Amino acid sequence: MADTNAKLTVNGEEYELPIIKGTLGRPVIDIAALQESGFWSYDPGFKVTAPVESKITYIDGGKGELLHRGYPIDELANNAEYLEVAYALLHGDLPTADQKADFFEKIREHTAVHDQLRKFFEGFRRDAHPMAIMVGVVGALSAFYHEDLDVSNEAHREITAIRLIAKMPTLAAMSYKYSQGEPFMYPRNDFNYAENFLYMMFATPADVDYEKNDVITRAMDKIFTLHADHEQNASTSTVRLAGSTGANPYACIAAGIAALWGPSHGGANEAVLEMLDEIGTVENVPEFMEKVKSREVKLMGFGHRVYKNFDPRAQVMKETCDEVLEALGINDPKLELAMALEKIALEDPFFIERNLYPNVDFYSGIILKAIGIPTSMFTVIFALARTSGWISHWLEMHSAPFKIGRPRQLYTGETRRDFVKVEDRK
Ligand code: SDX
């Protein structure tokens, strides 16, 4: 725990603030002693604040390194299945062969959803954004599992994690089918996780000869892994904060989905494709870049709060993009445009000075589009994949005593003043 102390002198009082080192990364300064100082710490956007201790994911933004339970993201994405990574996030290590078989079987047993959930979908307009549906439907799952909602019960927590990871592909595919006016497809438990998702997305009851595509399946599974977890990002922090109130896990994950939807976070993959559509051709890139530099628009898919170097996920995503487009024989002009944009940005002082590099969202949309997934589903896929990370953080929080998250503020509003009757107000 504390090795040495930082010293803070304020108002003539000196405070000893313990410095605590982790296994990797920056040590932290425990500021609990400020409680007695009459001051709050102030850090809008949590740029220099660590609200939790965690063993799940480590990011070195300067080196562009991302480890899940110590395993490098590129080695996981290129060698493991997403469910193996989910197991490691949940349990600490990659599964043995027996643990893998058992976990995969447990997931297969819970891929179906209560048939009454169909009625929930029918309440939405057909043109509802699928993220709006997912926020609603995932939160509604807590209405179907009354018997397993005691968050203090470890067995309840465990089965909930299985249910959420197992059912997200089914619900995600249902949100797509609903928007298409097509019948929902039941999961097929002879398919693996990514195959099942693609089947529920693209097969119809009339398909007598539905064929899996191994290249697309492998790419989809990699995309799930590349989005599985990412330390204390905005949506994971939302899940933890909601969880700190004792809220049920389905409600917490629904809160995470809502936070992820923002274009500065998980909604960026959808925004990248819209941006590429807006730019149109490589000839228009210089004009677009001027709009970025004048802060009229942001270069979506670029920049990151933590990575001040390449996002290691973007590099794997780019390789996967090349593989998929080649395997499908697609010559997508958007890929050329994205590569031209990336090249110009990486050579431009505006981006270099601000350490702006492609992030996980820059190439993912191009692959998803090549697979035939509509732009509106991109963030749903991000949410599907991130569920294993979110629920792992929720479980980690519940594995030790915790307090409700309740930040304070710097108040700059009115000082006390007397009530004025409406007839006397100016
Ligand atoms: C994800 O946190 C996570 O881990 C998230 C995530 C995960 O897996 O959970 O990695 C997933 O959300 C990836 C990020 C996806 N978002 C985008 O691609 C949207 C575009 N990116 C920006 O909105 C921005 O880069 C953020 C939100 C990602 C990060 O913003 P920060 O850390 O608050 O950085 P900043 O706004 O302080 O930027 C520093 C400077 C500013 O310029 P100045 O005012 O100092 O002159 O860089 C500029 C910003 O204006 N800048 C950009 C830019 N990103 C930052 N300028 C143009 N285009 C951009 N994309």
Side-chain angles (χ1 to χ4, degrees):
M1 290 310 278
D3 300 298
T4 55
N5 290 342
K7 289 185 175 39
L8 175 71
T9 303
V10 62
N11 278 355
E13 291 288 327
E14 183 174 279
Y15 296 90
E16 297 270 337
L17 305 177
I19 292 174
I20 305 169
K21 281 188 185 147
T23 43
L24 292 171
R26 278 194 189 190
V28 297
I29 297 175
D30 181 339
I31 58 171
L34 282 187
Q35 178 76 24
E36 311 310 323
S37 69
F39 289 84
W40 304 128
S41 66
Y42 185 59
D43 178 24
F46 304 123
K47 290 201 167 192
V48 289
T49 293
V52 294
E53 174 186 338
S54 180
K55 301 179 186 331
I56 297 173
T57 287
Y58 173 70
I59 302 173
D60 182 324
K63 281 166 57 181
E65 182 177 47
L66 169 58
L67 308 176
H68 291 319
R69 299 291 189 178
Y71 305 107
I73 187 62
D74 56 325
E75 292 183 28
L76 290 173
N78 291 325
N79 300 294
E81 290 182 66
Y82 167 75
L83 283 183
E84 290 179 274
V85 178
Y87 183 96
L89 292 172
L90 289 168
H91 299 292
D93 302 300
L94 284 168
T96 61
D98 290 346
Q99 289 166 336
K100 175 178 173 180
D102 176 57
F103 183 67
F104 280 40
E105 182 51 31
K106 279 194 183 121
I107 294 293
R108 264 193 296 274
E109 285 166 10
H110 290 276
T111 50
V113 293
H114 195 293
D115 221 38
Q116 227 165 286
L117 265 174
R118 294 164 171 274
K119 294 188 176 16
F120 203 96
F121 278 81
E122 284 156 18
F124 290 98
R125 286 174 41 156
R126 288 282 177 179
D127 62 353
H129 194 290
M131 281 296 278
I133 296 176
M134 291 299 284
V135 171
V137 172
V138 172
L141 285 178
S142 49
F144 288 84
Y145 299 109
H146 298 300
E147 68 286 354
D148 292 329
L149 279 184
D150 174 1
V151 296
S152 64
N153 180 322
E154 187 176 359
H156 290 192
R157 299 200 296 267
E158 293 290 328
I159 184 59
T160 301
I162 294 286
R163 280 183 173 135
L164 277 160
I165 293 170
K167 296 180 193 307
M168 282 300 276
T170 310
L171 294 171
M174 288 171 78
S175 68
Y176 171 66
K177 285 297 197 189
Y178 185 73
S179 71
Q180 301 301 301
E182 291 180 10
F184 297 140
M185 296 300 289
Y186 285 105
R188 277 186 56 165
N189 289 342
D190 57 329
F191 281 1
N192 71 34
Y193 196 78
E195 285 168 351
N196 214 351
F197 172 64
L198 292 166
Y199 168 75
M200 293 187 284
M201 279 283 291
F202 297 123
T204 68
D207 282 335
V208 290
D209 53 0
Y210 175 84
E211 279 194 22
K212 299 181 279 189
N213 177 312
D214 291 342
V215 171
I216 292 179
T217 297
R218 185 66 197 124
M220 192 76 258
D221 194 83
K222 266 190 191 180
I223 288 171
F224 290 159
T225 293
L226 292 170
H227 288 86
D229 190 53
H230 213 241
E231 199 210 68
Q232 306 307 322
N233 58 84
S235 53
T236 299
S237 299
T238 301
V239 170
R240 279 182 175 261
L241 192 56
S244 76
T245 70
N248 78 69
Y250 302 102
C252 295
I253 299 301
I257 295 172
L260 184 75
W261 196 0
S264 288
H265 189 14
N269 50 20
E270 186 173 346
V272 167
L273 262 288
E274 287 158 3
M275 174 185 73
L276 294 174
D277 281 339
E278 182 199 335
I279 297 169
T281 63
V282 177
E283 292 69 31
N284 298 334
V285 169
E287 182 191 349
F288 181 79
M289 282 305 193
E290 288 316 305
K291 286 166 72 175
V292 172
K293 293 177 192 175
S294 65
R295 291 178 185 64
E296 223 178 301
V297 293
K298 288 213 188 282
L299 182 57
M300 301 312 279
F302 257 69
H304 199 278
R305 171 60 60 78
V306 177
Y307 291 121
K308 300 311 172 191
N309 197 322
F310 272 89
D311 179 337
R313 301 168 297 176
Q315 292 178 289
V316 180
M317 198 69 84
K318 172 77 176 54
E319 290 155 15
T320 307
C321 194
D322 293 340
E323 287 162 14
V324 169
L325 295 186
E326 188 187 337
L328 298 179
I330 295 175
N331 179 21
D332 186 347
K334 283 204 175 48
L335 179 60
E336 275 76 58
L337 178 55
M339 288 166 64
L341 210 48
E342 179 186 22
K343 185 174 183 309
I344 292 167
L346 293 178
E347 292 165 358
D348 188 304
F350 177 90
F351 294 89
I352 295 169
E353 286 157 13
R354 291 168 177 79
N355 296 310
L356 301 179
Y357 293 88
N359 58 48
V360 68
D361 294 306
F362 191 65
Y363 284 107
S364 57
I366 296 167
I367 308 175
L368 293 172
K369 181 174 168 290
I371 291 175
I373 291 173
T375 310
S376 63
M377 282 294 292
F378 289 4
T379 311
V380 173
I381 286 169
F382 195 147
L384 183 169
R386 186 53 57 89
T387 296
S388 57
W390 285 332
I391 201 65
S392 299
H393 282 271
W394 182 82
L395 288 171
E396 182 177 65
M397 186 186 74
H398 275 279
S399 66
F402 61 89
K403 288 194 172 302
I404 188 170
R406 194 345 184 149
R408 300 307 303 268
Q409 64 178 7
L410 171 66
Y411 176 71
T412 54
E414 294 287 341
T415 54
R416 184 184 177 81
R417 53 182 170 165
D418 295 331
F419 177 78
V420 179
K421 290 197 184 87
V422 63
E423 56 271 24
D424 299 331
R425 291 170 204 159
K426 305 277 180 289

